[in-house]
Amino acid sequence: MRPVRRLGGAVASIAAVGVVAVSVLIPAGAARADSIRDDQYWLADYGVEQAWQTSRGAGVTVAVIDTGVDSSVAELEGVVVDGTDVSGQGSSDGQTPVGTDDPTHGTLVGSILAGRGTAPGDGVVGVAPEASLLSVSVGFGTDAVDSDTQIADAVRWSVDHGADVINMSLTRNTLDWPTSWDDAFLYAMENDVVVVAAAGNRGSGTTEVGAPATMPGVLTVAGVDRSGTASFDASSQGITIGVAAPSEKLVGVGPGDIHYSWSGTSGATPIVAGIVALVRGAHPELDADDVINRVISTATPRGTSTPDPLYGYGLVDAAAAVQSTVPAVEANPMGDLAEWIRVHRRAEAPAASPAATTEPAPAPVPTPQADRGDRLQALVPTVESMRSTGIPLIVFGVFGGALAAVGWGAWRQVRRRRDQE
């Protein structure tokens, strides 16, 4: 089994799409009233503050499948409504960070997605500050449950406990995925859940997107720098990318109320998952396919094509996704997982044993019998006699005659030469 990984350098060894670079800012209580909020440039630059005029994500539940979201952080007080651990290493509520590489990861992701600040204009405020979170902790140490099993179990648990959106800042670092993910992710999509996944970071060795970002139907997120240009280290590329969002100079809060500056598509993903929550809050009548379509069809195109392997359909625009008039679609614009399974897994299935048949076995062709009283008919060869005797005799006669002719010609040549001598 290939382990799932966090995408990141500083947090680079478990399943999440971790962080390329991370540095401590300052404890929350020591921050100037608006210093942290000033660093959250994506709230204004990507239309989030404008979208809040319509929706702040109220009534929407987002599952964060990661190292665990610590709800004791000031900005996340009251945000986490349920949780579990599927690794065998965390607490039953999923809120105890697991993993030795970066236990802060899940809390950072949760704060960008649904942080509520600590006061007006202070602390980290999430893209969907009125959404609720489910914390599903995963860990990939030597004593943990098999990583592929963890992800499948985490997705199913999230669906069964009311998730409308699933945030997955993680990668398997391979294009393919196990069949157990087929069932789990299809279960999510059949239950109208939007799955948002990170594309990965070149700075962490992910040069091309890996599963779950390669799975049909998943909304895959790439990363851009402050100017909106594809990030070299804090993003990756691939044909399954849906949209791009900021992945550099991000700010989030971790356990202990410590604020961090960090980079990676781990942070771009909760920005997009938060926008999905805003859309679902504003348009509860829409199914997952139409929600995804709103996000990608209202993005600002970038790159040389649409979709583009670096930007997907473009830079995400929260205000447009929430407030624009967008025609309905008949299917998920990011692909059909059920159809992919039907086409691609069929060849991998074991050959079925031949089915029993009730049809009678072929009977031998009867040999026509001549009427003994009809002497003329008795002289006419039957089908069977032609097969067994007539045809071989004809073939033998033809080849025998040809051989005799060759022999006769050779004898005459010899005799002519003797007469000339």
Side-chain angles (χ1 to χ4, degrees):
M1 292 287 183
R2 292 183 179 271
V4 186
R5 297 179 45 204
R6 252 203 268 19
L7 300 177
V11 285
S13 289
I14 75 172
V17 175
V19 185
V20 172
V22 60
S23 59
V24 177
L25 292 177
I26 43 180
R32 182 171 59 85
D34 60 357
S35 62
I36 298 300
R37 192 67 55 81
D38 287 346
D39 289 335
Q40 296 183 265
Y41 62 90
W42 54 92
L43 298 179
D45 293 355
Y46 286 80
V48 175
E49 292 176 347
Q50 184 179 342
W52 285 346
Q53 299 173 15
T54 304
S55 170
R56 294 173 66 89
V60 180
T61 301
V62 184
V64 177
I65 299 177
D66 213 287
T67 59
V69 180
D70 183 355
S71 65
S72 69
V73 169
E75 284 98 318
L76 292 172
E77 183 177 353
V79 176
V80 181
V81 296
D82 200 356
T84 192
D85 172 72
V86 295
S87 71
Q89 299 176 322
S91 59
S92 60
D93 63 3
Q95 296 182 42
T96 300
V98 298
T100 58
D101 295 304
D102 182 34
T104 68
H105 192 272
T107 308
L108 289 170
V109 168
S111 67
I112 282 187
L113 203 161
R116 295 181 180 173
T118 54
D122 185 22
V124 176
V125 62
V127 172
E130 293 182 7
S132 299
L133 298 184
L134 303 175
S135 177
V136 186
S137 57
V138 293
F140 304 97
T142 56
D143 297 329
V145 175
D146 168 70
S147 60
D148 287 343
T149 299
Q150 286 188 59
I151 298 304
D153 290 346
V155 170
R156 283 187 167 274
W157 187 93
S158 301
V159 176
D160 290 339
H161 289 78
D164 302 297
V165 187
I166 295 176
N167 185 98
M168 305 187 77
S169 294
L170 52 84
T171 183
R172 196 169 185 262
N173 255 358
T174 63
L175 296 176
D176 62 345
W177 57 90
T179 55
S180 61
W181 289 19
D182 288 353
D183 297 334
F185 282 76
L186 188 59
Y187 182 62
M189 293 169 189
E190 289 175 341
N191 281 276
D192 201 39
V193 178
V194 177
V195 180
V196 186
N201 308 321
R202 273 179 288 268
S204 301
T206 305
T207 57
E208 187 177 20
V209 297
T214 54
M215 299 178 73
V218 170
L219 179 56
T220 298
V221 183
V224 295
D225 62 18
R226 182 69 187 264
S227 68
T229 301
S231 176
F232 182 80
D233 287 326
S235 190
S236 187
Q237 65 184 40
I239 62 173
T240 59
I241 290 174
V243 289
S247 65
E248 295 188 15
K249 298 182 179 180
L250 305 175
V251 60
V253 62
D257 291 324
I258 298 173
H259 291 99
Y260 294 84
S261 176
W262 56 310
S263 297
T265 50
S266 276
T269 302
I271 290 174
V272 174
I275 292 172
V276 170
L278 297 181
V279 173
R280 300 217 87 160
H283 303 280
E285 77 284 359
L286 296 182
D287 62 15
D289 296 345
D290 282 307
V291 171
I292 291 173
N293 183 57
R294 270 187 166 267
V295 173
I296 68 172
S297 65
T298 58
T300 304
R302 291 296 294 268
T304 59
S305 61
T306 303
D308 182 82
L310 292 176
Y311 301 96
Y313 288 86
L315 304 183
V316 69
D317 184 334
V322 169
Q323 299 167 352
S324 296
T325 299
V326 179
V329 293
E330 297 295 328
N332 189 329
M334 296 307 299
D336 186 338
L337 180 58
E339 177 64 11
W340 187 96
I341 293 170
R342 186 190 70 80
V343 172
H344 294 275
R345 296 302 191 198
R346 179 176 55 187
E348 299 175 10
S353 57
T357 179
T358 57
E359 295 181 0
V365 178
T367 301
Q369 299 295 321
D371 185 352
R372 293 188 179 182
D374 189 341
R375 300 298 180 184
L376 179 61
Q377 186 177 10
L379 297 176
V380 177
T382 64
V383 172
E384 184 62 24
S385 63
M386 285 294 293
R387 288 175 179 168
S388 61
T389 306
I391 293 176
L393 286 176
I394 293 172
V395 172
F396 180 80
V398 170
F399 281 96
L403 184 60
V406 171
W408 172 255
W411 180 81
R412 292 191 61 183
Q413 287 290 339
V414 172
R415 185 173 179 178
R416 184 178 299 111
R417 288 178 182 176
R418 287 180 179 176
D419 291 344
Q420 292 175 350
E421 295 175 355

